[in-house]
Structures are given as C-alpha cells and as structure tokens.
Amino acid sequence: MLKRTLIALIVLALVAGPLAFAAPAKAQDDLPTSPLECPGEEMAADATMAADATAMAEEAMTYDGGQPVDAPDKAGQDIRVLDLPKLIGIAYFSATTKGMNEAAEELGNVEVVTDAPTEANVDDQITFIENYVTQGIDGIMFASNDPVAISPALRRALEGGVHVIGFDANSEPDAREWFVNQATFNGMAKALVDSMVEEVGADGSVAIITSSLTAPNQNRWISEMLAYSEKCYPDLNYLETVPSEEDQQLAFQRAQELVNKYGDELDGIFAMSSVAAPGGADALTQMGVCEDTVVIGISTPNQMRPFVKNGCAPKVVLWNPVDLGYATVYVMRAVVDGTLLPGATSVEAGRLGTLPVINGSEILLGSPTIFTTDNIDDFDF
Amino acid sequence: MAMREAEQDRPSLGLQLRDLVLRQEGVLVAIMVISVIVLSITSNNFLTTDNLLNQARLLTEVGLIALPMTYIIITAGIDLSVGSILGFSAVMLGWLWQEQGLPLELAIVACLGIGTLAGLFNGLFIVYVKVPPIIMTLATLALYRGLAYGISQARSARGYPDWFFRFGAGDFLGLPTQLWFLIVGAIISGLLLARTPFGRGLYAIGNNEVGARFAGIPVDRYLLMIYTYAGFMSGLAAFVFTSRVSTTRADSGTGLELDVIAAVVLGGTSIMGGTGTITGTMLGLVLIQLLKNGLSLSGVKGDATIVVIGVVLIFAILTNNFIQKRLQRA
C-alpha cells in the first residue's frame, strides 16, 4: 500500500515537474500598456523624442505621492541620506551612486550613505529601510526590487518623518514623495524594438534574456515591447524569454543555449539588464555567430563598447545612470528645502537644468539614449 | 517498564550531558550579553522596545523553520529545501486565492497543507528510497523553486485584504502577532525534544542510527515525521512571510535555508548529529538577528555585517569545541 502511494507520488512528481516548466514563464506584468506611435518615415532617434512628447501630454495628472509626517525642518541645513540601490557591486548602480556623490559634493550640505543587499532581494531591502529609519536618517533614496513589497516599509519611514524619493525602480506612488524616472517604459520599449527591427527586419525571430522573472522594471518593459510590437510589427516573432538573475555568466550561458536551440532561426536577442547584454554579446562573439544573431540590450557604454564595435551588439539603449543618481539627490534636496512641493511641474537639477514632472509625482530624466559606433566613445560610465 | 529503567539509568550520564549543554548555551549567553552591551553603547537606537520588537518580527520566519531543522540536524540529517518550500507554498497561497478564486482562508490552509506535503515528499524519499538527505533536499530545492516559478508564471500576487496583514504586520497582546507562533512552536518543540521518548529517539538516531534501530526505536517513522514537520513549518513561515511583505513572489525565501542552518549550528547543534537543544537554537537565532541589526544601527555596512557574523559563528564553534575537549579530559 505504502509502496503504491510512493510510486503514485513519484509519477505525480515526474509529470508535474515538466508540466510546470513546459509553459515558459511570460515575464510580463498585467498592468495596462500604452504603446507609442509607430515610426512611419521617421528615424528611430526622432521617435524617442516623440516618446517624450507623449509623456508630456499625459502630465495633467494630479500629485499622487505621499508626504512625510512632521518631518523636521532642515531647509538649507546638513542632511544625511541613504542611497539604497537594488543591490551593490554592479556597474550600473555604481554609476548611480557616483552621480549621487557628485551632486552631494556640488551641494555641499548632503551626506550620501550607500548601503544595500549584495543580492537583488526585496526582503533584505525592507530590513535595510527599517534599520536606517531606526538609526535616524533624513532621507531614503531607493530603487526597489519589488514595488508592492517595499511599500509598507517606506510608508513607515514617511510616518517617521523621513523623506523618501525613488529612482530607477518605483514603489506604489503613495509610499514615496517623488520618483525620478530615467525614461518612460513605453519610450524605452519603442527604442528597443525599433532598434531591433532596423537590424533584423520586421519579420525576424527574437528571444529575450531578462534579469529575474520577477523584476518589475524588466517585466514592464517587456509588456510594453510586446504591445508596441503587436501594434507596429505584428510579424516580429518572439520565441522565448529566459532569466539570467543579474548574473553575467548566466546570461552568457543563456545566450549560448538560445543559439544552440534555435540556430539560424534566431535573429536577435533582447538583453534586458546591464549585465545580461554584455554576457549575451560576449557569448555571440565567442561562438562567432554575430552575422546571424545580434544583441540589442539595455546596458552601459563601457561594458558594451567592444561589442558595439565588433557588431555583435550594434545598438545599446540606456539613459545616463550617473545623471539619474545626480538628479535624485537634487530632488531630495529640493524636497527637504521645501522648493519642490506637490503640484509642481518642474524641478531644477544642477547641470541637468530643468526636469519636467510627469504622471503626477514622477520626474522625467529625459529621452533614452541609443549608443552606436558613432557616439559610444563620447560616454564614460 | 523498560522505559522507566532507562530513565533511572540516565542521571550519571545525563547530568554530565546536561552540564555540557548548559555550558554550550552559557557561551552563547555570554557572547550575547557582551554584544548587547557593545551594541547599545555604539548606537542609542539599539536597546529600545520598538527596535527589539521589530527585530522579533524579522526573525520569526527563520525561527519557525529552525525548530524542525534542529530536530533534523540532531539526527545527522539536513534539509536544504526549506527556503524553496517557503517560496512554493507562498506562491500557491497567492495563486489559489487570486487565480483559482479560492477563499483566502482556504488558501491559507492549502498553503500549510502544501508545505506539509512537500516535506512529506522529502521524507518519503529519504526514508524509503534511502536517498541521502543532502541529495534529496538539494534536488527538491531546485524542484520546488522551479514549480514556484512555473505555476506563478513569475508574477506576484498582490492586493490582500487588511485582515490578512494582521498576522505578519499586526500585534497581538503587545507582541508582533507572528512571534506568538514562534513562542508556542518553540515551547512545544523544546518539550518534545527534551521530555519525550520521541526526543530521546532523535538523539539516538543521530548518535548511531543502526543502534537506534536495534534498540527498537521507530527510526523510519521519526525521520518521516521530522521532515514533514519541516515542510509544515516552512508552509507556516510562507504564510507569515506573505503577510509581512504583502506580496507573494516566486523568489520568496531564497537562501533562507542557510540562515536557518546558521542559527541551529550557532545554537550548539552538531552537524554530525546527536547533540543540540531548542533553547540553543533560539539563542543562536536571536544572537544572529541582534548582531545584524545592532551592527547596521552602529553604521556598519551590509557586506561587513556578514563578515562579522561569520567571525562570530567560527568563534562560538571554536569555543564550544574547546570546552567540549576540556570536559572530555576532565
């Protein structure tokens, strides 16, 4: 009897396992998408300008961020603020931290403390927030690993009189005051898909290497990319989405697996994180298949320079993360000083000039930049 | 009758054993007192009721799973799949409720049930197919995590009703609600281990499994029970975790098994089996959390905190070994 139960269990496990894997995880969220206009005769570069125009047009929303309770008045005084990226130790977040320190030095009255988990884990981030609020800090600048899970901890910070600003990856709007948005999701999606279509044609077959399958930014971009492709390039064929967990070596392996699995059929790979792109491009380079397959990804110029130059990753889409960190500190300072209040339509951000407010409580850094052989040497981060 | 005789035989050996255990725990208490003094000097915010209660909230999930893990390690086994069971059960809780339309109350029961089944599955293979625990649970570490990703399609379930958050974010009789689960669980688990034939059986299995079989201890049944218990507690931790962080994600509890094992081992349970107490595990658990929190409050950064905890772990184990050797000589 027991043996029979056991056999039944084994069979169940053997069947259930593959079944669960058979349906590839879709890695997108269920939020509504808003694909931008198709390029028509315009060039891709102009299209990203259009992205901003659309974003501006949507700005009529009222302020939906939260407010700290009885925050001490520190206008013009020294403040100590926490820089809490998704994780520490990768080039991208080192760049945002660099920008924050630049701004802090310029302002002279801001001290930035950088501390974050070594793995992109929201549970650890919550612990960091609670410890720093207990320790006593004037402000928190976070990039969330999960927009919902991080929100209760941030709300407690607001209730404790701490200023909270998001950058890179948002929380729920009422759990922070402002969110510095590096680029709109639909703008990025359009830039990525248009770049890909220029390389592989409107009927190519593509795969996606994302970071973790639960990463909110990545899922949002993928949702927008799929919506935009459906609207503008219905023949673009999406083969598969695979995770690479913020791990360059794993991305390398995933790209190899994709090439081995699909061969010539695979025309392009979207690489959705700053480590997935170099990992994937490196794999294609080493396999010598860049003639047939290219990587179009989101990454930093320094990491991608060799692959842009050897043609394996002809276009890289990103904003400037140093500017992102820089702007975040200026926004924090403006909030503490009381110069950026709910309802404002723009904010001054040092050398970046005036940045617009969009979607009620977001500050838009600018349009995404597309790095190619023509301009990549102008950037160093 | 036989039982009573066995108990009468214990004092001389038992006294010695208790002395030893007391001293192991004594070392921990000493380290803890020193840590608390140092940490409260370096940070004014450390020794406050609010902070300590908040820390209790954060350690509960690890603590719940550390109870069965103590049993398992006492029998010279290990369970590496507990973090994955947590993720899997949490995902099932969210999936059954949101995608399948099950009432949330039932989904919670299902979450506990699925955790229990996952543990039972480990146990069946370890006991009846004789797969070594480390291999079996390494396999299910991957299997359960894969199921969590597959079933949830890597999407998180959100939007739970307010009453649901009472268990992970609310208070009951002045303490964080989930701490009561841990207190009750620790008392029951501690009594079972220290005062019952079942507990003595576990020590016997850890010291000499073959001998335990010959002594008529139902080894298979006990092993099956403790791995199932680990599954149940992981399911319970999944529920508490979901209620605390307000969303279920397929990667919930990744790496949790290492925190659990660290707490148990720091608490004086030997990975070779045969020794260990629930009191020790709870002390280890609290010590690690106090260090993590206190160091962070004193301005030590995240990566350095891990280093310090590693050093404390090695120091505590060295001290234990030293004392054990001295006692053996004496």
Side-chain angles (χ1 to χ4, degrees):
Chain A
M1 186 58 205
L2 190 69
K3 247 185 193 159
R4 219 172 275 172
T5 321
L6 197 59
I7 290 170
L9 269 173
I10 297 172
V11 171
L12 190 75
L14 291 180
V15 173
L19 263 186
F21 291 104
K26 282 184 200 128
Q28 27 170 318
D29 52 30
D30 297 316
L31 302 172
T33 53
S34 52
L36 297 173
E37 290 305 305
C38 299
E41 297 102 46
E42 309 169 298
M43 301 285 288
D46 295 331
T48 55
M49 306 276 283
D52 281 351
T54 319
M56 306 282 234
E58 285 166 4
E59 99 185 48
M61 272 175 70
T62 50
Y63 180 81
D64 58 353
Q67 284 291 306
V69 179
D70 297 331
D73 180 17
K74 295 231 175 171
Q77 296 176 33
D78 286 353
I79 53 169
R80 190 163 158 274
V81 292
L82 171 67
D83 161 30
L84 178 68
K86 285 188 186 180
L87 74 171
I88 48 170
I90 66 168
Y92 176 80
F93 283 114
S94 302
T96 58
T97 298
K98 185 178 161 210
M100 288 191 182
N101 289 324
E102 252 173 50
E105 206 166 303
E106 244 175 63
L107 289 162
N109 52 7
V110 180
E111 184 198 344
V112 176
V113 187
T114 304
D115 203 359
T118 47
E119 279 170 60
N121 182 330
V122 72
D123 187 29
D124 285 347
Q125 277 193 312
I126 293 172
T127 311
F128 275 98
I129 293 169
E130 301 197 332
N131 279 341
Y132 272 93
V133 170
T134 307
Q135 189 192 106
I137 193 121
D138 299 307
I140 294 174
M141 305 179 289
F142 70 91
S144 77
N145 283 311
D146 182 293
V148 176
I150 203 170
S151 294
L154 292 177
R155 283 193 199 101
R156 277 195 291 278
L158 285 173
E159 281 160 23
V162 177
H163 289 284
V164 180
I165 309 288
F167 69 99
D168 186 70
N170 208 346
S171 64
E172 287 172 344
D174 68 316
R176 44 83 184 149
E177 297 169 76
W178 298 89
F179 173 66
V180 185
N181 195 342
Q182 55 273 29
T184 53
F185 288 103
N186 50 8
M188 283 296 287
K190 181 181 168 64
L192 283 165
V193 174
D194 285 343
S195 298
M196 180 63 90
V197 167
E198 278 174 35
E199 297 298 325
V200 307
D203 57 352
S205 289
V206 296
I208 301 175
I209 300 180
T210 184
S211 62
S212 98
L213 289 171
T214 50
N217 274 4
Q218 272 75 11
N219 289 350
R220 198 80 270 279
W221 282 320
I222 294 172
S223 291
E224 288 288 356
M225 280 159 60
L226 295 179
Y228 178 70
S229 304
E230 201 174 308
K231 178 175 166 190
C232 301
Y233 310 106
D235 293 332
L236 198 62
N237 178 22
Y238 285 85
L239 296 166
E240 194 175 349
T241 300
V242 292
S244 63
E245 310 298 343
E246 295 290 348
D247 179 343
Q248 188 159 336
Q249 204 47 47
L250 194 57
F252 182 95
Q253 208 177 313
R254 290 283 180 260
Q256 279 192 331
E257 286 162 12
L258 286 170
V259 171
N260 289 336
K261 185 168 172 187
Y262 295 106
D264 286 347
E265 196 196 342
L266 182 69
D267 299 312
I269 297 175
F270 285 113
M272 305 305 295
S273 83
S274 62
V275 289
D282 195 14
L284 298 187
T285 307
Q286 292 195 19
M287 294 176 91
V289 295
C290 300
E291 294 286 306
D292 303 315
T293 310
V294 294
V295 165
I296 300 290
I298 300 174
S299 192
T300 58
N302 283 357
Q303 282 173 288
M304 295 303 285
R305 191 166 289 114
F307 309 113
V308 170
K309 292 195 168 169
N310 75 8
C312 287
K315 294 190 174 70
V316 180
V317 179
L318 195 71
W319 50 92
N320 187 329
V322 178
D323 287 352
L324 177 62
Y326 180 90
T328 307
V329 168
Y330 266 89
V331 169
M332 176 62 84
R333 188 71 245 182
V335 163
V336 174
D337 291 347
T339 53
L340 176 60
L341 295 166
T345 55
S346 68
V347 61
E348 291 299 320
R351 62 172 161 81
L352 298 175
T354 308
L355 301 179
V357 169
I358 60 166
N359 299 333
S361 58
E362 295 181 10
I363 288 148
L364 182 63
L365 186 65
S367 44
T369 312
I370 298 174
F371 304 108
T372 62
T373 44
D374 296 335
N375 67 356
I376 195 162
D377 285 332
D378 303 338
F379 298 92
D380 180 25
F381 59 87
Chain B
M1 189 64 195
M3 190 81 68
R4 201 170 293 161
E5 267 171 21
E7 259 171 343
Q8 274 167 356
D9 275 348
R10 282 176 74 81
S12 59
L13 197 138
L15 211 68
Q16 226 177 344
L17 205 77
R18 204 187 321 154
D19 201 17
L20 178 81
V21 168
L22 267 182
R23 278 174 189 243
Q24 283 186 345
E25 284 156 5
V27 172
L28 275 184
V29 170
I31 295 178
M32 202 178 295
V33 170
I34 295 168
S35 309
V36 167
I37 292 172
V38 171
L39 292 171
S40 42
I41 291 170
T42 51
S43 167
N44 292 332
N45 302 309
F46 175 67
L47 211 58
T48 62
T49 323
D50 273 357
N51 182 46
L52 295 183
L53 284 181
N54 199 19
Q55 294 310 311
R57 205 185 279 290
L58 296 176
L59 63 68
T60 300
E61 294 119 29
V62 174
L64 286 172
I65 304 177
L67 300 174
M69 189 67 88
T70 309
Y71 285 2
I72 291 174
I73 295 182
I74 284 175
T75 66
I78 194 99
D79 190 340
L80 299 177
S81 69
V82 287
S84 293
I85 297 182
L86 189 153
F88 179 40
S89 319
V91 158
M92 291 304 287
L93 169 66
W95 183 74
L96 286 171
W97 172 63
Q98 210 157 54
E99 303 285 323
Q100 305 301 311
L102 214 64
L104 189 51
E105 293 85 346
L106 275 182
I108 294 169
V109 175
C111 163
L112 301 183
I114 286 159
T116 312
L117 280 180
L120 176 68
F121 185 72
N122 282 338
L124 286 174
F125 272 79
I126 290 164
V127 170
Y128 293 108
V129 193
K130 304 267 180 269
V131 187
I134 192 166
I135 307 290
M136 182 59 201
T137 56
L138 189 63
T140 50
L141 164 91
L143 174 70
Y144 296 148
R145 185 65 68 192
L147 286 172
Y149 274 106
I151 289 170
S152 67
Q153 293 284 299
R155 294 178 195 203
S156 28
R158 295 158 180 168
Y160 294 94
D162 281 342
W163 65 263
F164 181 74
F165 296 123
R166 229 181 296 152
F167 300 96
D171 296 312
F172 182 71
L173 298 179
L175 292 182
T177 316
Q178 63 263 55
L179 193 57
W180 290 105
F181 293 142
L182 181 59
I183 292 172
V184 171
I187 292 173
I188 295 175
S189 301
L191 287 177
L192 277 177
L193 185 63
R195 297 284 162 85
T196 64
F198 166 72
R200 284 195 295 279
L202 296 185
Y203 288 114
I205 296 170
N207 276 318
N208 185 343
E209 191 178 324
V210 179
R213 274 181 209 280
F214 281 117
I217 292 167
V219 173
D220 289 349
R221 183 146 47 95
Y222 282 4
L223 288 180
L224 199 58
M225 279 162 69
I226 59 177
Y227 285 97
T228 310
Y229 180 36
F232 169 77
M233 284 310 233
S234 305
L236 180 61
F239 161 53
V240 169
F241 183 90
T242 305
S243 174
R244 176 165 72 84
V245 306
S246 77
T247 165
T248 46
R249 295 163 51 94
D251 63 357
S252 303
T254 308
L256 190 81
E257 59 280 350
L258 297 182
D259 293 343
V260 173
I261 294 168
V264 174
V265 172
L266 181 58
T269 304
S270 164
I271 207 87
M272 312 301 287
T275 61
T277 59
I278 294 292
T279 319
T281 296
M282 287 298 116
L283 286 172
L285 177 75
V286 172
L287 179 57
I288 289 181
Q289 191 67 32
L290 284 181
L291 282 175
K292 270 191 194 167
N293 170 240
L295 290 171
S296 166
L297 293 188
S298 312
V300 179
K301 297 257 186 97
D303 32 6
T305 311
I306 306 168
V307 173
V308 175
I309 289 170
V311 170
V312 170
L313 242 169
I314 294 172
F315 175 74
I317 290 165
L318 282 181
T319 319
N320 273 346
N321 281 355
F322 177 72
I323 290 172
Q324 253 174 327
K325 271 194 190 136
R326 285 289 293 269
L327 272 177
Q328 271 166 6
R329 219 172 292 155

